[in-house]
Every structure is written in structure tokens, then in C-alpha cells.
Amino acid sequence: MKKFSKQLGKWLLTVARNTIAAELNEGCPTSLKQPAVSKADLLFLKKKMGVFVTLYLHGQLRGCIGTLEPVLSLEGEVVENAHHAAFQDPRFSPLTPQEFLGIDIEISVLTPPEVLNYTSPSDLKKKLLPGIHGVILEKQGAKATFLPQVWDQLEEPEVFLEHLCRKAGLSSHAWKSADVSIRTYTVCSFKEKPGSCH
């Protein structure tokens, strides 16, 4: 993946925050000024890449929506997913102006997912890289993903996979089935507090 500049990260975070502020309109600060970025970064914004936008309120998840298979440009995906994370995540009520003032935004740009080949459940656990791999699990039409950041809460591969199965609506042991497909990706993430690439 391209090494993202800090300025590009700030630019994307500003786009996300301004998108949410524009929807809330009244009761929110005026839009933030977009930081300057290089011509190379501006060209990169036109590329299609998977993106997740995550909102935190007082350190707790407040919304997370993303795209594994991008349709829009990087900039377009940030706009769409920022809006959806704030107002259309089915796990939460729409974000309020008061909450907006307290949220922190994180943007994760994904590498293209790749199939992870493994021979057994134990081999799968060995090949997963905690803290580095984002994981997509699919079985008979059911599908779910966890970003690499989820490893911070679920450090053991078996526990990670069990929770991922439940997120997909499957039994916690479904990851051991022969008909499960596993793909992995990595992300470069930016937070409104100092972020880092994973």
C-alpha cells in the first residue's frame, strides 16, 4: 500500500467530519478548513479503495461502516461511509449534534483482500497475524469482517474468529468448517488523535 502522508490523513479526516457536520447543520460548528495536500495525494484520492469510517464517543464505539469492494473514489467512499457511520449504522440511533462535539473519527484504508490458504483450523490460527490482519469470513452467503484494530480487544485468534462468526450470524465454531472462506487485508488508519499505519 502507498505510504500515506500525514497531510492526506488529516485531509480525509476533515472530509469525514465536514460531511457529518453538514448533515447535522444546526447546532454544529462551521466546516473545518481542508488542509493542503500534494498533487500526488490529490491524484491518489481518485483511486478506488476499500474504506471504513469509525466513530468513537468517549472511547466507546459509536458507529462503524465501510466498504470492502469500493465503488467510489477514496474521497467518495470516505464521504459515503462517514455519513452512514453517523446516521445509518443499525446498531445505533442517528448521531446528535451534542454527540458530534464529543466524537473522535478514525479512517481505515484497506489493501485489496487476499484469500488466505490454510489446511486446518490450527493452521488457520497460525497464519493469522494479530494486530495486522483484517479478516473477512464467508460461509454459505453469510459474511462479516473485523478490522485489524479489533485484535486490541480480541487478542487470541480462536476468540477473534468465534466473535467474527457470531457477527456473521453463524455459530461460534463455524470457522472450523471446511466450506468457510477466509480473506485477509491490512489497513492504514488515521485518527483525529495521532494515528499509525498497520
Side-chain angles (χ1 to χ4, degrees):
M1 179 184 284
K2 162 192 166 72
K3 286 291 184 182
F4 282 80
S5 68
K6 289 183 178 179
Q7 283 303 106
L8 181 56
K10 289 179 181 177
W11 200 95
L12 292 172
L13 287 165
T14 303
V15 167
R17 183 164 284 277
N18 285 347
T19 296
I20 298 169
E23 179 69 21
L24 289 168
N25 197 4
E26 294 182 10
C28 289
T30 54
S31 294
L32 300 174
K33 183 179 178 182
Q34 292 291 151
V37 291
S38 68
K39 289 184 179 179
D41 282 342
L42 287 173
L43 288 173
F44 196 76
L45 288 167
K46 299 183 185 303
K47 292 190 174 184
K48 292 182 178 181
M49 302 188 74
V51 177
F52 275 72
V53 177
T54 307
L55 309 181
Y56 298 96
L57 183 63
H58 309 308
Q60 300 298 313
L61 180 68
R62 184 56 181 84
C64 180
I65 297 290
T67 344
L68 294 168
E69 308 294 340
V71 175
L72 306 173
S73 66
L74 174 56
E75 179 183 1
E77 292 290 349
V78 168
V79 169
E80 285 285 306
N81 292 326
H83 183 275
H84 291 160
F87 306 111
Q88 296 179 11
D89 187 327
R91 297 169 293 180
F92 301 95
S93 58
L95 194 74
T96 66
Q98 184 177 2
E99 289 177 319
F100 175 76
L101 299 175
I103 62 167
D104 294 310
I105 301 174
E106 180 178 27
I107 292 174
S108 300
V109 184
L110 283 58
T111 58
E114 296 182 353
V115 173
L116 183 66
N117 293 311
Y118 59 94
T119 57
S120 65
S122 59
D123 188 39
L124 169 59
K125 290 193 293 182
K126 289 177 184 176
K127 288 186 173 177
L128 288 177
L129 302 178
I132 296 175
H133 277 155
V135 180
I136 304 166
L137 179 147
E138 294 183 71
K139 175 182 168 67
Q140 298 175 349
K143 179 178 177 180
T145 189
F146 276 154
L147 295 171
Q149 294 91 316
V150 176
W151 289 103
D152 292 342
Q153 286 81 45
L154 306 172
E155 298 178 359
E156 295 297 324
E158 185 161 346
V159 176
F160 183 97
L161 290 165
E162 287 175 352
H163 279 76
L164 185 55
C165 286
R166 289 200 287 270
K167 184 181 179 183
L170 300 167
S171 74
S172 60
H173 300 294
W175 63 274
K176 297 179 181 179
S177 303
D179 60 345
V180 163
S181 167
I182 299 289
R183 290 183 291 162
T184 61
Y185 54 87
T186 60
V187 306
C188 189
S189 63
F190 295 98
K191 293 183 179 181
E192 289 182 314
K193 297 173 182 178
S196 61
C197 291
H198 299 276

